Amino acid sequence: MPLYHFKNFQMLDPDVGEQQGGLEMVVDGDKIREVSDKPISLAQADAIDCGGRTLMLGLIDSHVHVVLSEVSLRNLESVPLTLMTARAAELMRRMLERGFTSVRDTGGADWGLKEATDKGLLPGPRLFIAGRAIGPTGGHSDSRRRTDFGVRCHCCNAMVFSMGIADGVSEVRRAVREEMRQGADQVKLMMSGGVASPYDPLDSLQFSPAEVTAAVEEAHAFGRYVCAHAYAPDAITRAANAGVRTIEHGNLIDDASAKLMAEKGMFLIANLVTYFEMKKRAAEYGMTSDMLAKNDLVIDGALKSLEICKRHGIPVGFGTDLLGQLQIEQSQEFTLRARVVSPIEIIRSATTIGARILRMEGKLGCLKPGAFADIIVIDGNPLKDLAVLQGQGLHLAAIMKGGRFYKNNLR
């Protein structure tokens, strides 16, 4: 791979918290080789003049679903895996074009898609996969209609492919072991009701403490961890006590459950944009009135959850959780969060905190020698105007993932 020498930029390092001028950077292969405040002399390097623009880390979205290409998830019942994959390829390409160089898929993406992006067969972010999201009968991952008493083969049903059902400790152990066999980076458990599922109330408790503990034990045995879909304090508390590492959503979190999360060293991955976009547009794509009523229940707590977590010192990752046609609004998450937290805190949620969630400290989320060369160059300063991270990548002059340019308007 070429040797690149970046010059004439304002570096935005989240650890510093402000732009730094007078630096130069060398990218060798897929990693950063050197960052210096003195001129670097390299005869053979390809010089990249950034024209005084902002150079920063590639973004990390810690909660996506690249195979869930329909807002109304039941439409996936008639989507074969070939079409599911083609749609996922398009969704991933657009994520990369917005500057997201790494994403954590929390239900659906498999090792095949991960391999395809790792090998460059498909343009897209690095994928950290959960395989199938696991839930109990009648829970958030149970997509069956009330007239359907069986589970269809997943070979022609993208819905079944992306979500699984397990009941009882032994079935949960087996399901988690299967996802480990399939190369999962993390295990996803459904521990409360959800907006997009048809029958379960939001405050329903899904999976017993023993079942959750079994999942955590099996994940830890493989050196992995469990993330839990949970909205209400009871579900968050059950997850925390069983050893779950991250809470997804957490809109209805209260001070008591937040205090417990902080004591356990847990992360919350908040998702705001999905609720606001579903309220505006999901009905036109087939989401039912019952689902939208549940959406209204959680939308009020979305911003409040950020305030509670900040008060208790809980690290909050950047996540979007958008479905199907709404995924185009991924970057709106930045400006929604700005109602509660500062721009640098939001940028950290999508860089340094994201790297910690992925357990990739030193490799992602930092601009230091030895880290992957995941870099974006921006027309503008996101610390002053987060809108430069919107516009479907319009303001991104360059996007590099692993030392490879996917966009370069700097020449």
Side-chain angles (χ1 to χ4, degrees):
M1 296 179 72
L3 187 68
Y4 294 108
H5 183 183
F6 287 85
K7 305 177 181 179
N8 189 18
F9 57 83
Q10 296 290 314
M11 189 167 84
L12 175 51
D13 184 341
D15 288 335
V16 175
E18 60 185 19
Q19 288 192 335
Q20 299 170 278
L23 299 174
E24 297 184 6
M25 176 183 292
V26 176
V27 169
D28 187 357
D30 64 348
K31 294 185 176 65
I32 296 171
R33 188 171 91 180
E34 183 178 1
V35 179
S36 177
D37 59 359
K38 297 180 175 59
I40 299 172
S41 179
L42 289 170
Q44 303 300 319
D46 188 352
I48 306 294
D49 187 335
C50 297
R53 296 175 177 87
T54 299
L55 181 149
M56 65 172 286
L57 292 160
L59 303 169
I60 300 172
D61 190 329
S62 294
H63 190 120
V64 304
H65 296 286
V66 302
V67 306
L68 301 186
S69 57
E70 295 282 349
V71 175
S72 181
L73 294 180
R74 276 188 170 163
N75 291 339
L76 294 171
E77 290 176 334
S78 57
V79 173
L81 302 194
T82 46
L83 180 56
M84 178 196 77
T85 304
R87 289 179 176 180
E90 177 68 3
L91 290 171
M92 291 189 297
R93 180 182 65 81
R94 291 186 177 185
M95 288 179 181
L96 185 57
E97 289 175 352
R98 296 182 201 112
F100 289 92
T101 52
S102 294
V103 297
R104 175 175 171 258
D105 190 284
T106 54
D110 70 343
W111 69 270
L113 283 174
K114 181 182 176 78
E115 181 84 358
T117 53
D118 284 349
K119 300 298 185 184
L121 300 175
L122 293 175
R126 305 173 189 282
L127 272 178
F128 294 82
I129 62 170
R132 294 192 303 166
I134 304 167
T137 294
H140 188 46
S141 67
D142 191 342
S143 63
R144 295 174 298 167
R145 303 169 190 271
R146 283 178 170 152
T147 53
D148 182 359
F149 293 97
V151 177
R152 294 170 57 192
C153 172
H154 68 231
C155 64
C156 57
N157 181 336
M159 186 75 258
V160 174
F161 178 86
S162 59
M163 295 188 182
I165 300 172
D167 295 304
V169 169
S170 60
E171 282 191 17
V172 168
R173 288 191 187 279
R174 182 182 181 89
V176 173
R177 288 170 179 171
E178 178 61 21
E179 297 312 322
M180 296 298 95
R181 188 180 78 87
Q182 293 294 332
D185 297 296
Q186 64 274 337
V187 174
K188 170 74 171 293
L189 294 186
M190 303 302 198
M191 291 192 59
S192 75
V195 172
S197 44
Y199 307 126
D200 51 343
L202 279 174
D203 58 357
S204 61
L205 279 170
Q206 299 177 15
F207 281 134
S208 68
E211 290 170 317
V212 183
T213 299
V216 169
E217 287 176 354
E218 295 301 329
H220 286 181
F222 267 74
R224 304 295 189 265
Y225 67 92
V226 171
C227 60
H229 163 106
Y231 282 110
D234 285 350
I236 294 170
T237 298
R238 178 172 292 186
N241 285 329
V244 167
R245 183 168 177 262
T246 72
I247 296 295
E248 315 300 311
H249 316 303
N251 296 47
L252 306 180
I253 191 171
D254 62 9
D255 283 302
S257 54
K259 182 175 182 291
L260 180 61
M261 283 185 65
E263 291 171 354
K264 298 283 187 179
M266 298 172 68
F267 296 84
L268 182 116
I269 292 80
N271 328 108
L272 278 66
V273 64
T274 188
Y275 308 109
F276 288 91
E277 290 303 315
M278 283 195 292
K279 185 174 181 66
K280 288 191 293 187
R281 300 176 54 200
E284 68 182 274
Y285 295 113
M287 191 166 276
T288 67
S289 58
D290 288 343
M291 294 176 184
L292 291 174
K294 290 193 285 185
N295 190 66
D296 286 341
L297 291 174
V298 297
I299 200 169
D300 291 337
L303 292 168
K304 184 179 178 182
S305 69
L306 298 183
E307 295 174 335
I308 293 173
C309 287
K310 185 174 182 178
R311 186 159 64 243
H312 289 275
I314 298 170
V316 178
F318 181 102
T320 53
D321 192 35
L322 290 158
L323 303 176
Q325 299 88 338
L326 303 182
Q327 294 199 33
I328 195 171
E329 305 297 343
Q330 184 178 27
S331 301
Q332 296 292 337
E333 182 79 16
F334 289 104
T335 49
L336 283 172
R337 292 190 182 209
R339 301 179 189 181
V340 178
V341 294
S342 68
I344 188 59
E345 289 175 296
I346 299 168
I347 289 169
R348 285 171 180 153
S349 74
T351 53
T352 54
I353 293 175
R356 290 168 60 195
I357 290 167
L358 298 174
R359 303 195 299 185
M360 291 290 286
E361 300 98 319
K363 295 295 184 182
L364 299 176
C366 63
L367 292 167
K368 297 178 181 177
F372 285 116
D374 290 2
I375 296 165
I376 57 177
V377 180
I378 310 170
D379 293 319
N381 181 355
L383 292 178
K384 295 182 178 179
D385 183 11
L386 285 167
V388 298
L389 297 174
Q390 298 178 350
Q392 308 305 314
L394 174 67
H395 306 289
L396 303 186
I399 301 168
M400 172 180 277
K401 187 192 85 172
R404 175 183 173 184
F405 276 110
Y406 286 83
K407 179 180 181 181
N408 186 3
N409 294 339
L410 299 174
R411 300 182 186 279

